[in-house]
């Protein structure tokens, strides 16, 4: 048996996906193509994926007329990242060693295969069907194919109709109300589904339950529990210093949402962060994730997430609360954390003791960084000097 595997978010599925499957079926003599919509793709940290239920229903409508096409819920049912190697292992086990598997990819992906997780094993257990995509130079495509073949990949070129539209363009056209632009690129039944449900009409607002579920997928349990404690502590400190408690709570919850980001994911998220200080990158990375994936638009919350590691000389009250809460949440044990707790506002002189707590937090952070032999952030030094000056002015 010869089986094609077509992975992607399919958000939404369009005619390009279907035509690619048909072309691969014809040219590689496939017995069937299995569409595998992604659950939590590791390369799409900067976008909220439409709920699996909607994407599965649209796929079902799109392939209803094709008896040799089916859908797998393997990735959408997983409560962890969806890596291609795991999916191929699953189908290899499901269908046995005698079945030939062909993972369907586009030209834009062919040059990135060596960045995929466990790519050497992937090359051993599956072949690839590579399709040229609109806007991609054929000579580059052929060059990438040749390079990958040299290191063991079995790649078959598939000629396919070049439908020049992406799922992103479809979503944008729906937001713009320009259904005419996509009427020939989306199956009619899928377009009807989008219209009837109101999908893509506007960006998703912040949904705390979704954010928590997503963070539990991406973070360790220990890190996730730390975020919950920082959320509560941020709200407590915020109430002391006159910051908005709800903003503090949300910022505290999301402050480490970028903690698990790998270098490969930074390449997709924001390449400019790759050469930065690895110990502090999760701050700005987390702000991007909070804004683009979780729907946070409040500038105070985003500031708090962005600078919670280093502080900032002019950070606002919400950022100050989260910066301190990261050190003083109950799970932090040790003399350095106790020093910060003891300096927290307690009674009348709120501004003065707040500045003192931030100074101590910066000092402890600098000592820790130097002890570990890590690179010191100029931002932390600038924060220390700024609040030391504030303390002197208060005196």
């Amino acid at each position: 048996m010869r089986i094609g595997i077509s992975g992607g978010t399919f958000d939404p599925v369009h005619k390009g996906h279907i035509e690619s499957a048909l072309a691969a079926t014809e040219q590689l003599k496939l017995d069937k193509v299995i569409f595998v919509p992604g659950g939590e793709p590791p390369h799409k940290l900067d976008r909220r994926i439409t709920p699996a239920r909607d994407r599965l229903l649209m796929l079902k409508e799109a392939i209803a007329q094709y008896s040799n096409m089916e859908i797998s819920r393997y990735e959408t049912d997983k409560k962890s990242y969806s890596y291609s190697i795991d999916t191929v292992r699953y189908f290899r086990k499901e269908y046995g060693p005698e079945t030939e598997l062909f993972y369907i990819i586009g030209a834009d992906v062919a040059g990135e295969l060596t960045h995929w997780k466990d790519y050497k094993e992937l090359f051993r257990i599956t072949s690839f069907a590579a399709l040229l995509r609109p806007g991609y130079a054929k000579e580059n495509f052929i060059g990438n194919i040749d390079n990958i073949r040299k290191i063991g990949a079995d790649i078959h070129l598939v000629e396919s109709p070049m439908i020049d539209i992406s799922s992103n363009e479809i979503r944008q056209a729906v937001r713009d109300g320009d259904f005419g632009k996509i009427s020939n690129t989306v199956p009619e039944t899928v377009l009807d589904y989008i219209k009837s449900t109101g999908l893509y009409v506007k960006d998703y607002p912040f949904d705390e339950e979704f954010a928590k579920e997503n963070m539990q997928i991406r973070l360790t349990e220990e890190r996730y529990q730390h975020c919950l404690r920082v959320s509560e502590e941020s709200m407590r400190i915020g109430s002391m210093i006159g910051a908005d408690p709800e903003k503090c709570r949300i910022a505290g919850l999301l402050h480490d949402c970028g903690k698990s980001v790998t270098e490969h994911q930074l390449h997709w998220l924001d390449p400019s962060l790759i050469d930065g200080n690895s110990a502090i990158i999760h701050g700005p990375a987390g702000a991007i994730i909070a804004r683009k994936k979780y729907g946070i638009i409040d500038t105070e919350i985003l500031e708090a997430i962005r600078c919670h590691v280093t502080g900032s000389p002019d950070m606002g009250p919400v950022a100050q609360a989260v910066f301190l809460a990261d050190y003083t949440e109950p799970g932090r044990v040790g003399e350095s954390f106790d020093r910060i707790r003891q300096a927290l506002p307690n009674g009348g002189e709120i501004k003065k003791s707040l500045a003192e707590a931030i100074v101590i937090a910066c000092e402890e952070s600098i000592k820790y960084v130097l002890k570990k032999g890590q690179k010191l952030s100029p931002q932390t030094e600038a924060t220390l000097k700024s609040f030391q000056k504030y303390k002197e002015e208060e005196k």
Side-chain angles (χ1 to χ4, degrees):
M1 182 179 287
R2 295 163 70 87
I3 296 177
I5 302 171
S6 181
T9 51
F10 302 110
D11 194 12
V13 58
H14 54 69
K15 289 183 178 179
H17 296 128
I18 306 301
E19 293 297 333
S20 295
L22 290 171
T25 298
E26 179 182 352
Q27 295 170 46
L28 298 178
K29 308 302 180 187
L30 303 179
D31 293 289
K32 65 178 175 180
V33 172
I34 303 174
F35 288 88
V36 190
E40 176 60 25
H43 62 293
K44 295 196 175 180
L45 287 174
D46 60 347
R47 188 170 73 78
R48 172 89 170 269
I49 307 300
T50 299
R53 176 183 177 276
D54 293 303
R55 292 183 289 122
L56 288 164
L57 286 172
M58 286 188 285
L59 256 177
K60 183 179 178 181
E61 294 287 354
I63 69 171
Q65 62 181 300
Y66 304 105
S67 59
N68 65 333
M69 295 184 188
E70 61 184 63
I71 302 168
S72 169
R73 296 177 58 106
Y74 170 72
E75 291 190 7
T76 55
D77 287 347
K78 285 178 68 178
K79 297 299 182 183
S80 60
Y81 273 140
S82 301
Y83 289 102
S84 298
I85 182 62
D86 298 323
T87 301
V88 174
R89 284 171 183 155
Y90 169 79
F91 286 111
R92 174 56 66 206
K93 183 177 180 180
E94 185 81 2
Y95 288 97
E98 301 304 316
T99 297
E100 294 183 76
L101 299 179
F102 296 84
Y103 201 94
I104 301 172
I105 60 173
D108 53 333
V109 173
E112 298 182 354
L113 287 177
T114 55
H115 296 299
W116 287 19
K117 182 182 178 183
D118 297 338
Y119 72 91
K120 291 181 180 179
E121 181 187 351
L122 194 63
F123 291 173
R124 288 198 305 271
I125 63 177
T126 189
S127 299
F128 293 88
L131 301 100
L132 188 60
R133 292 274 173 85
Y136 198 87
K138 190 169 185 177
E139 57 271 22
N140 292 340
F141 178 52
I142 300 299
N144 286 333
I145 296 297
D146 289 340
N147 290 336
I148 297 299
R149 281 174 172 165
K150 289 176 183 177
I151 57 176
D154 179 33
I155 299 188
H156 303 259
L157 274 65
V158 174
E159 297 289 338
S160 175
M162 304 232 290
I163 298 177
D164 190 10
I165 196 163
S166 68
S167 294
N168 183 55
E169 291 173 317
I170 293 170
R171 294 192 300 272
Q172 188 58 54
V174 173
R175 288 191 190 96
D176 296 339
D178 190 0
F179 289 99
K181 181 180 179 179
I182 58 175
S183 58
N184 293 323
T185 57
V186 179
E188 185 177 351
T189 52
V190 173
L191 194 56
D192 289 342
Y193 183 90
I194 292 171
K195 289 178 178 178
S196 65
T197 57
L199 283 181
Y200 312 127
V201 172
K202 59 183 180 180
D203 291 328
Y204 288 102
F206 175 62
D207 180 336
E208 185 169 332
E209 288 308 309
F210 166 77
K212 286 181 175 179
E213 289 175 6
N214 186 260
M215 288 171 64
Q216 284 183 290
I217 290 173
R218 298 190 303 100
L219 304 180
T220 65
E221 180 62 20
E222 182 181 1
R223 179 62 54 181
Y224 177 68
Q225 292 299 324
H226 165 70
C227 290
L228 296 181
R229 293 193 298 267
V230 171
S231 178
E232 293 297 316
E233 179 71 352
S234 297
M235 185 166 59
R236 186 181 76 84
I237 295 175
S239 298
M240 292 180 187
I241 66 175
D244 186 316
E246 182 63 9
K247 290 183 181 182
C248 292
R249 187 184 69 80
I250 294 172
L253 172 67
L254 303 181
H255 82 288
D256 265 355
C257 68
K259 188 69 176 180
S260 62
V261 175
T262 65
E263 186 171 319
H264 283 158
Q265 289 173 317
L266 283 176
H267 174 76
W268 297 310
L269 193 65
D270 184 351
S272 69
L273 297 175
I274 292 175
D275 296 326
N277 186 341
S278 59
I280 65 175
I281 280 172
H282 69 278
I288 295 172
I289 294 169
R291 177 169 57 87
K292 292 189 173 183
K293 195 177 190 74
Y294 300 152
I296 296 294
I297 59 175
D298 186 276
T299 55
E300 290 184 282
I301 294 176
L302 293 174
E303 177 200 28
I305 297 169
R306 187 169 50 251
C307 70
H308 81 271
V309 185
T310 61
S312 174
D314 55 355
M315 58 181 169
V318 175
Q320 292 173 16
V322 175
F323 178 72
L324 290 171
D326 196 21
Y327 292 95
T328 61
E329 60 94 346
R332 299 291 203 186
V333 178
E335 184 180 341
S336 59
F337 302 119
D338 289 339
R339 283 189 66 212
I340 302 167
R341 290 187 183 100
Q342 290 163 8
L344 281 175
N346 184 18
E349 298 184 77
I350 289 178
K351 290 184 179 180
K352 180 179 176 182
S353 57
L354 179 69
E356 184 177 352
I358 292 174
V359 166
I360 295 172
C362 290
E363 290 172 343
E364 293 296 339
S365 176
I366 291 170
K367 281 196 296 186
Y368 176 83
V369 168
L370 294 178
K371 183 179 178 180
K372 290 287 185 179
Q374 297 174 345
K375 185 178 178 181
L376 188 61
S377 167
Q379 188 81 336
T380 304
E381 293 182 289
T383 304
L384 173 61
K385 291 177 181 178
S386 175
F387 282 88
Q388 280 177 331
K389 183 179 179 182
Y390 185 82
K391 275 181 63 180
E392 291 303 315
E393 288 174 352
E394 283 296 307
K395 288 182 181 179

Short mmCIF file of all heavy atoms in Angstrom, two decimals, residues 300-336:
data_model
loop_
_atom_site.label_atom_id
_atom_site.label_comp_id
_atom_site.label_asym_id
_atom_site.label_seq_id
_atom_site.Cartn_x
_atom_site.Cartn_y
_atom_site.Cartn_z
N GLU A 300 0.32 47.97 28.98
CA GLU A 300 0.91 47.76 30.30
C GLU A 300 1.21 46.28 30.56
O GLU A 300 2.25 45.92 31.13
CB GLU A 300 -0.01 48.30 31.40
CG GLU A 300 -0.12 49.80 31.45
CD GLU A 300 -0.98 50.27 32.60
OE1 GLU A 300 -2.23 50.20 32.49
OE2 GLU A 300 -0.40 50.67 33.63
N ILE A 301 0.30 45.42 30.13
CA ILE A 301 0.51 43.98 30.31
C ILE A 301 1.68 43.51 29.45
O ILE A 301 2.54 42.76 29.90
CB ILE A 301 -0.78 43.21 29.95
CG1 ILE A 301 -1.89 43.54 30.94
CG2 ILE A 301 -0.52 41.70 29.94
CD1 ILE A 301 -3.23 42.91 30.62
N LEU A 302 1.72 43.98 28.20
CA LEU A 302 2.80 43.58 27.30
C LEU A 302 4.15 44.08 27.81
O LEU A 302 5.16 43.37 27.73
CB LEU A 302 2.52 44.10 25.89
CG LEU A 302 1.32 43.48 25.18
CD1 LEU A 302 1.06 44.19 23.85
CD2 LEU A 302 1.54 41.99 24.94
N GLU A 303 4.18 45.29 28.35
CA GLU A 303 5.42 45.82 28.92
C GLU A 303 5.89 44.94 30.07
O GLU A 303 7.08 44.62 30.19
CB GLU A 303 5.22 47.26 29.41
CG GLU A 303 6.47 47.84 30.08
CD GLU A 303 6.18 49.03 30.98
OE1 GLU A 303 5.06 49.10 31.53
OE2 GLU A 303 7.08 49.87 31.14
N ALA A 304 4.96 44.55 30.93
CA ALA A 304 5.31 43.74 32.10
C ALA A 304 5.90 42.40 31.69
O ALA A 304 6.87 41.93 32.29
CB ALA A 304 4.07 43.53 32.97
N ILE A 305 5.34 41.78 30.66
CA ILE A 305 5.86 40.49 30.18
C ILE A 305 7.23 40.69 29.55
O ILE A 305 8.17 39.93 29.82
CB ILE A 305 4.89 39.87 29.15
CG1 ILE A 305 3.54 39.57 29.81
CG2 ILE A 305 5.48 38.60 28.55
CD1 ILE A 305 2.44 39.21 28.83
N ARG A 306 7.35 41.73 28.74
CA ARG A 306 8.59 41.97 28.00
C ARG A 306 9.79 42.22 28.92
O ARG A 306 10.89 41.72 28.68
CB ARG A 306 8.40 43.15 27.05
CG ARG A 306 9.57 43.41 26.11
CD ARG A 306 9.20 44.42 25.04
NE ARG A 306 8.60 45.62 25.59
CZ ARG A 306 7.32 45.96 25.46
NH1 ARG A 306 6.49 45.17 24.81
NH2 ARG A 306 6.84 47.06 26.00
N CYS A 307 9.60 42.98 30.02
CA CYS A 307 10.74 43.38 30.84
C CYS A 307 10.77 42.70 32.21
O CYS A 307 11.48 43.15 33.10
CB CYS A 307 10.78 44.89 30.99
SG CYS A 307 9.47 45.62 32.00
N HIS A 308 10.02 41.60 32.39
CA HIS A 308 9.95 41.01 33.73
C HIS A 308 11.28 40.39 34.16
O HIS A 308 11.51 40.21 35.36
CB HIS A 308 8.83 39.96 33.79
CG HIS A 308 9.21 38.62 33.24
ND1 HIS A 308 9.05 38.28 31.91
CD2 HIS A 308 9.75 37.52 33.84
CE1 HIS A 308 9.46 37.05 31.72
NE2 HIS A 308 9.89 36.55 32.87
N VAL A 309 12.16 40.06 33.22
CA VAL A 309 13.44 39.46 33.58
C VAL A 309 14.46 40.54 33.94
O VAL A 309 15.17 40.42 34.94
CB VAL A 309 13.99 38.61 32.41
CG1 VAL A 309 15.28 37.89 32.85
CG2 VAL A 309 12.96 37.61 31.92
N THR A 310 14.53 41.58 33.13
CA THR A 310 15.58 42.59 33.28
C THR A 310 15.14 43.83 34.03
O THR A 310 15.98 44.59 34.51
CB THR A 310 16.05 43.04 31.89
OG1 THR A 310 14.93 43.64 31.18
CG2 THR A 310 16.57 41.86 31.08
N GLY A 311 13.82 44.03 34.13
CA GLY A 311 13.34 45.32 34.60
C GLY A 311 13.50 46.36 33.51
O GLY A 311 14.00 46.06 32.40
N SER A 312 13.12 47.59 33.81
CA SER A 312 13.28 48.70 32.87
C SER A 312 13.33 49.98 33.68
O SER A 312 12.59 50.12 34.66
CB SER A 312 12.10 48.74 31.89
OG SER A 312 12.17 49.89 31.07
N PRO A 313 14.22 50.91 33.33
CA PRO A 313 14.37 52.13 34.13
C PRO A 313 13.08 52.92 34.32
O PRO A 313 12.88 53.57 35.34
CB PRO A 313 15.39 52.95 33.33
CG PRO A 313 16.15 51.94 32.54
CD PRO A 313 15.16 50.86 32.20
N ASP A 314 12.19 52.84 33.32
CA ASP A 314 10.96 53.62 33.41
C ASP A 314 9.71 52.73 33.37
O ASP A 314 8.65 53.14 32.91
CB ASP A 314 10.90 54.63 32.25
CG ASP A 314 11.07 53.97 30.89
OD1 ASP A 314 11.32 52.76 30.84
OD2 ASP A 314 10.94 54.68 29.86
N MET A 315 9.83 51.52 33.89
CA MET A 315 8.68 50.60 33.84
C MET A 315 7.54 51.11 34.72
O MET A 315 7.76 51.71 35.77
CB MET A 315 9.09 49.19 34.25
CG MET A 315 9.70 49.03 35.63
SD MET A 315 10.16 47.29 35.94
CE MET A 315 11.13 47.48 37.43
N GLY A 316 6.32 50.86 34.23
CA GLY A 316 5.14 51.31 34.92
C GLY A 316 4.77 50.42 36.09
O GLY A 316 5.42 49.40 36.35
N PRO A 317 3.70 50.76 36.80
CA PRO A 317 3.30 50.01 38.01
C PRO A 317 3.01 48.53 37.78
O PRO A 317 3.36 47.70 38.62
CB PRO A 317 2.04 50.76 38.47
CG PRO A 317 2.15 52.11 37.88
CD PRO A 317 2.85 51.94 36.58
N VAL A 318 2.35 48.19 36.67
CA VAL A 318 2.05 46.78 36.41
C VAL A 318 3.35 46.01 36.20
O VAL A 318 3.54 44.92 36.75
CB VAL A 318 1.13 46.63 35.18
CG1 VAL A 318 0.93 45.15 34.83
CG2 VAL A 318 -0.23 47.29 35.44
N ALA A 319 4.26 46.57 35.43
CA ALA A 319 5.55 45.92 35.19
C ALA A 319 6.34 45.79 36.49
O ALA A 319 7.01 44.78 36.73
CB ALA A 319 6.34 46.71 34.15
N GLN A 320 6.27 46.81 37.35
CA GLN A 320 6.97 46.75 38.63
C GLN A 320 6.43 45.60 39.49
O GLN A 320 7.19 44.86 40.12
CB GLN A 320 6.82 48.08 39.36
CG GLN A 320 7.54 49.25 38.71
CD GLN A 320 7.22 50.57 39.38
OE1 GLN A 320 6.71 50.60 40.49
NE2 GLN A 320 7.52 51.67 38.70
N ALA A 321 5.11 45.48 39.51
CA ALA A 321 4.48 44.43 40.32
C ALA A 321 4.91 43.04 39.86
O ALA A 321 5.24 42.17 40.66
CB ALA A 321 2.96 44.57 40.27
N VAL A 322 4.92 42.83 38.53
CA VAL A 322 5.29 41.51 37.99
C VAL A 322 6.78 41.25 38.18
O VAL A 322 7.19 40.13 38.52
CB VAL A 322 4.90 41.42 36.50
CG1 VAL A 322 5.39 40.10 35.89
CG2 VAL A 322 3.38 41.53 36.33
N PHE A 323 7.59 42.28 37.97
CA PHE A 323 9.04 42.15 38.16
C PHE A 323 9.35 41.66 39.57
O PHE A 323 10.17 40.76 39.77
CB PHE A 323 9.70 43.51 37.89
CG PHE A 323 11.19 43.51 38.09
CD1 PHE A 323 12.04 42.87 37.20
CD2 PHE A 323 11.76 44.18 39.18
CE1 PHE A 323 13.42 42.89 37.38
CE2 PHE A 323 13.12 44.20 39.36
CZ PHE A 323 13.97 43.54 38.47
N LEU A 324 8.68 42.24 40.57
CA LEU A 324 8.92 41.84 41.96
C LEU A 324 8.28 40.50 42.28
O LEU A 324 8.87 39.67 42.98
CB LEU A 324 8.39 42.92 42.90
CG LEU A 324 9.19 44.23 42.91
CD1 LEU A 324 8.45 45.30 43.70
CD2 LEU A 324 10.59 44.00 43.48
N ALA A 325 7.08 40.28 41.78
CA ALA A 325 6.37 39.03 42.08
C ALA A 325 7.12 37.81 41.59
O ALA A 325 7.03 36.73 42.17
CB ALA A 325 4.97 39.06 41.45
N ASP A 326 7.90 37.96 40.52
CA ASP A 326 8.69 36.87 40.00
C ASP A 326 9.71 36.38 41.04
O ASP A 326 10.13 35.23 41.03
CB ASP A 326 9.40 37.32 38.72
CG ASP A 326 9.92 36.15 37.89
OD1 ASP A 326 9.42 35.02 38.07
OD2 ASP A 326 10.84 36.37 37.08
N TYR A 327 10.11 37.30 41.95
CA TYR A 327 11.05 36.96 43.01
C TYR A 327 10.36 36.56 44.32
O TYR A 327 10.92 35.82 45.12
CB TYR A 327 11.97 38.15 43.32
CG TYR A 327 12.93 38.50 42.22
CD1 TYR A 327 12.62 39.48 41.28
CD2 TYR A 327 14.17 37.88 42.12
CE1 TYR A 327 13.51 39.82 40.27
CE2 TYR A 327 15.07 38.21 41.12
CZ TYR A 327 14.73 39.19 40.19
OH TYR A 327 15.63 39.51 39.20
N THR A 328 9.17 37.10 44.54
CA THR A 328 8.57 36.96 45.87
C THR A 328 7.41 35.97 45.95
O THR A 328 6.82 35.80 47.01
CB THR A 328 8.07 38.34 46.37
OG1 THR A 328 7.07 38.84 45.47
CG2 THR A 328 9.22 39.32 46.45
N GLU A 329 7.06 35.33 44.83
CA GLU A 329 5.98 34.33 44.90
C GLU A 329 6.39 33.24 45.88
O GLU A 329 7.58 32.95 46.05
CB GLU A 329 5.64 33.80 43.51
CG GLU A 329 6.77 33.11 42.76
CD GLU A 329 6.75 31.59 42.96
OE1 GLU A 329 6.05 31.11 43.88
OE2 GLU A 329 7.47 30.91 42.24
N PRO A 330 5.44 32.58 46.54
CA PRO A 330 5.74 31.67 47.64
C PRO A 330 6.69 30.53 47.31
O PRO A 330 7.33 29.98 48.21
CB PRO A 330 4.35 31.14 48.03
CG PRO A 330 3.39 32.17 47.56
CD PRO A 330 3.99 32.76 46.33
N GLY A 331 6.77 30.16 46.03
CA GLY A 331 7.64 29.05 45.66
C GLY A 331 9.11 29.39 45.65
O GLY A 331 9.97 28.49 45.59
N ARG A 332 9.44 30.68 45.72
CA ARG A 332 10.84 31.10 45.73
C ARG A 332 11.36 31.00 47.16
O ARG A 332 10.87 31.70 48.06
CB ARG A 332 10.96 32.54 45.24
CG ARG A 332 10.47 32.77 43.81
CD ARG A 332 11.37 32.13 42.79
NE ARG A 332 11.25 32.77 41.48
CZ ARG A 332 11.83 32.34 40.38
NH1 ARG A 332 12.59 31.24 40.42
NH2 ARG A 332 11.67 32.98 39.23
N VAL A 333 12.36 30.18 47.36
CA VAL A 333 12.89 29.95 48.70
C VAL A 333 14.36 30.33 48.74
O VAL A 333 15.15 29.93 47.88
CB VAL A 333 12.73 28.48 49.12
CG1 VAL A 333 13.33 28.23 50.49
CG2 VAL A 333 11.26 28.07 49.08
N GLY A 334 14.74 31.12 49.75
CA GLY A 334 16.14 31.49 49.90
C GLY A 334 16.30 32.87 50.48
O GLY A 334 15.37 33.69 50.48
N GLU A 335 17.51 33.16 50.97
CA GLU A 335 17.78 34.44 51.63
C GLU A 335 17.62 35.63 50.68
O GLU A 335 17.10 36.68 51.07
CB GLU A 335 19.22 34.43 52.18
CG GLU A 335 19.59 35.67 52.98
CD GLU A 335 21.01 35.60 53.49
OE1 GLU A 335 21.57 34.49 53.55
OE2 GLU A 335 21.56 36.67 53.83
N SER A 336 18.05 35.46 49.43
CA SER A 336 17.96 36.57 48.47
C SER A 336 16.50 36.96 48.23
O SER A 336 16.17 38.15 48.13
CB SER A 336 18.64 36.19 47.15
OG SER A 336 18.03 35.04 46.59
#
